[in-house]
Structure formats: structure tokens, C-alpha cells
Amino acid sequence: SPRSARLTTVDAPEGRERVLEVRVDDPQGQPYALWLAASLDRHDREMASYWQVSSLVVAIAGALLLLGQWIHALSLSTRVGNLSAHMRRLRAGALDHSPPEDPNDDEIAELRQAIAETTERLAAARTSQDRLVADAAHELRTPLATLRAGIDVALRRERSNAELRTTLEQAREEVDRLAALASSLLDLAALRASPLDRRPGDLVAVLIEAVDAARMQAEEHGLLVRMQAPEHAPAEFAATSLRQALDNLLGNAIKFSPAGGEIAIELVHERGQWCFRVLDCGPGVPEPQRDAIFEPFHRVALDRPGKGLGLAIVHDVAERHGGRVWVEGRECGGAVFCLALPD
């Protein structure tokens, strides 16, 4: 039986060999040594080939990974560069183009979408501002021209006291028109510039105050104001801005309703929002003008008093509260102005 065995690797002239040395005893107890040797040349060649192939595969994978990272970095650099170039154009005042399209779906694509939406809003704001300035200049030109013409006529020759008084009264009317226009413009500018102070409150309380104030004006025009609202309507809103919007809606209804008619204002809760509905018995608003009526200086009836800024203020109040305002027609005639605010 074997007493011991030893496995070693030796360097032979033909190459490395694996040698197994075993000591055995014959039946008479005489010890003998047995050596078994196997060449490792094939094994060494296979291992060398394995390491060569492995190194080549690792090198190729690393090169591909490096190439992919380079392409990805180049793509990121291009996309960020496009946004940077767009921001430089924005600083220069160029708002007529959106940033280049980005088909990806990652944080940079979300940033690009946010910048594109901001660019559109800035462009719309500048267009609105330019239109407001142009319309304001046009509205100011008429009373100023009338005022100057009256003064020029009065200065051409000697006038009696009565004639001068008439001229001064006409000039006073034009000054009042200018003052009313300036006041409306200041209200609109202040509304857009000041932060919206939204606080929890009861919409019904603001509605009652607006209706009480409107009833005095309505009585002078022979109109009846009817209100329908729940006991409480809790919401978060800016009371001063909302009161101004309600005053404008009720004043608009009084201005266009004939004497002997009725104006109704309702407060209802529907689809997760509070909706003020002002129903008048006036001529109504033609459907093609129902969107434009909320733009500054837009007037449906030019023979009625006003500067076309009241509904623009209502529109701004609604948007800044996260709501909206629109106008509908009535089957019995008249218009329904709806101001919806989130609850």
C-alpha cells in the first residue's frame, strides 16, 4: 500500500512536467519508488491562448466602452451647447425661436421642455406688452387730440365767459377720460407686478360685499341684482384681487343691461372648483369675439363707456389664481360670464 505521495512541477529539457512520486513496498516489505510524469506543454499553450484572448476581449470591450462614453459625452455636450446658445439668444432679446428639438427622455430633455415653455411665455408676454403699449397710446391719442383741438379753437379769438366755460367743461371731460384710463392702466400694471397674497377665506363673504356695492349702482340704472350662493365657500384666494374682478364683472353686466332688467350672480361648486356665474340681460357677446373680449382695450360696443380693461383685469386675476374666465351665451338673450377658481 502507498506510504506517501508527492506532486511537483519540474522544468525538463522538453518543457515543464508534472511529476507524481509515490513510495510503495512489495510483499516482502522491500521499499520502491514510483515516478509518473506528464508534460504541461499543451496546458501552457492553452493557458497562454486563453490569456491572449481574454486580454484582447478586455481591450476591445474597454475600447468600445470608451467609444460609447465619448459619443455620449459628445451628445451631452451638443445638447447642453444648444441650450446654452438658446439662452444667449434669450439674453439678446430673441424670443421668436424655441430651443432645438430633443428626442431623448431624460433630465436634459425635461430642462429643454421647461426652457421652451418659458420662451413661449416670455414671447407671449412681450407681445402682450407691446400690444398693450400700442393700444394705450391709441386710446390716449383721442382724448389728447380732442383736448388740444378745443384749446386751439378757444385761443383763436376772444371768447365770452360762457364760451370759455363750455370749453373748460369739455376739457374737463377729456381730462376725466384720461384719468380713468390712467387709473385702469395702473390697476392692471399693479395687478401684474405685485405678488399674489393668497390666504384661506370664505368666497361668500367677498361675494356679498361685491353685490352690496353693485346694488347701489344697479338701482341708478333701474336694475335688480339677485345673488345665489351657499352658506360658506372655503378656498385660498387673494381677497382684494378677487373683489376687483367681481366688481368688474358686475359693473360690466350693469353697463350692458337695459333698465328694468335683472342681473344674477351665482356661486356654485363643480368639478373641484368654485365658479362665479354673472348672468345679464344685455345684447350678449358674439361667438367670434368671446376669446378676444378679455384682451386689453377690446370692446364689443364702442358706443358704451369704458376702456376695455375691466375684463382684462378679470382674466389676469383668474390666471394668477390658477383658474380661468370665459363667456357663454344665454338662450333668452344676454351673456353669462364665468370665473372659475380652484377650491
Side-chain angles (χ1 to χ4, degrees):
S1 60
R3 291 184 177 179
S4 62
R6 188 175 62 176
L7 185 64
T8 59
T9 301
V10 298
D11 293 325
E14 295 81 6
R16 293 195 315 148
E17 293 182 347
R18 198 70 164 165
V19 177
L20 176 63
E21 181 181 353
V22 181
R23 181 181 176 183
V24 297
D25 295 335
D26 63 4
Q28 289 76 29
Q30 185 69 27
Y32 291 90
L34 177 64
W35 286 273
L36 298 175
S39 174
L40 294 176
D41 182 58
R42 180 179 177 183
H43 172 269
D44 291 341
R45 290 197 307 270
E46 291 178 349
M47 289 302 297
S49 299
Y50 167 77
W51 286 115
Q52 290 175 355
V53 172
S54 298
S55 300
L56 181 60
V57 170
V58 170
I60 293 175
L64 291 176
L65 181 61
L66 182 61
L67 178 62
Q69 290 294 328
W70 180 78
I71 294 175
H72 182 61
L74 182 62
S75 174
L76 290 179
S77 177
T78 301
R79 296 164 64 194
V80 173
N82 289 335
L83 295 180
S84 178
H86 179 74
M87 295 303 294
R88 287 194 296 271
R89 290 194 295 270
L90 286 185
R91 286 198 298 267
L95 303 175
D96 51 346
H97 295 289
S98 295
E101 292 294 333
D102 193 337
N104 298 277
D105 186 16
D106 55 10
E107 288 79 4
I108 295 181
E110 293 179 2
L111 176 61
R112 181 261 167 204
Q113 182 63 28
I115 292 176
E117 293 176 357
T118 302
T119 301
E120 292 177 1
R121 292 182 180 179
L122 287 174
R126 188 170 71 176
T127 300
S128 177
Q129 180 182 9
D130 293 343
R131 185 171 60 246
L132 179 62
V133 171
D135 291 342
H138 176 75
E139 291 292 332
L140 289 170
R141 183 183 302 169
T142 301
L144 286 174
T146 303
L147 184 61
R148 182 185 179 90
I151 294 175
D152 289 342
V153 170
L155 293 175
R156 284 177 185 172
R157 61 180 177 82
E158 292 293 331
R159 301 281 177 173
S160 64
N161 290 338
E163 291 174 331
L164 289 175
R165 184 178 183 85
T166 301
T167 301
L168 289 175
E169 289 176 349
Q170 293 173 349
R172 175 61 184 269
E173 291 178 0
E174 297 305 324
V175 171
D176 289 341
R177 290 180 59 189
L178 290 172
L181 176 58
S183 177
S184 298
L185 286 172
L186 288 174
D187 288 342
L188 184 60
L191 177 65
R192 292 179 175 180
S194 61
L196 193 67
D197 185 18
R198 298 176 60 178
R199 299 181 181 181
D202 190 354
L203 295 174
V204 177
V206 180
L207 176 60
I208 292 175
E209 293 177 0
V211 170
D212 288 343
R215 278 176 174 155
M216 293 186 291
Q217 181 184 0
E219 290 177 0
E220 297 177 357
H221 292 76
L223 295 168
L224 177 65
V225 179
R226 177 175 54 85
M227 184 187 75
Q228 180 178 349
E231 291 186 4
H232 299 285
E236 189 175 287
F237 58 94
T240 302
S241 297
L242 179 60
R243 170 63 190 276
Q244 187 177 16
L246 293 177
D247 288 344
N248 289 348
L249 288 176
L250 288 168
N252 187 75
I254 293 172
K255 180 171 62 177
F256 285 95
S257 295
E262 180 182 270
I263 297 170
I265 181 167
E266 305 170 349
L267 177 59
V268 296
H269 188 268
E270 54 188 15
R271 295 188 294 274
Q273 60 184 2
W274 290 105
C275 184
F276 295 92
R277 295 167 53 87
V278 180
L279 299 83
D280 63 43
C281 49
V285 180
E287 190 169 351
Q289 299 188 40
R290 290 181 182 175
D291 291 331
I293 196 174
F294 297 102
E295 297 177 0
F297 297 106
H298 183 91
R299 287 182 288 172
V300 176
L302 299 178
D303 58 337
R304 300 297 178 97
K307 299 302 178 185
L309 291 173
L311 293 180
I313 292 176
V314 176
H315 181 268
D316 277 20
V317 171
E319 280 199 339
R320 298 190 68 189
H321 278 82
R324 65 190 188 99
V325 62
W326 70 96
V327 61
E328 302 172 351
R330 299 181 65 185
E331 295 182 358
C332 58
V336 182
F337 284 84
C338 305
L339 171 60
L341 304 178
D343 58 9

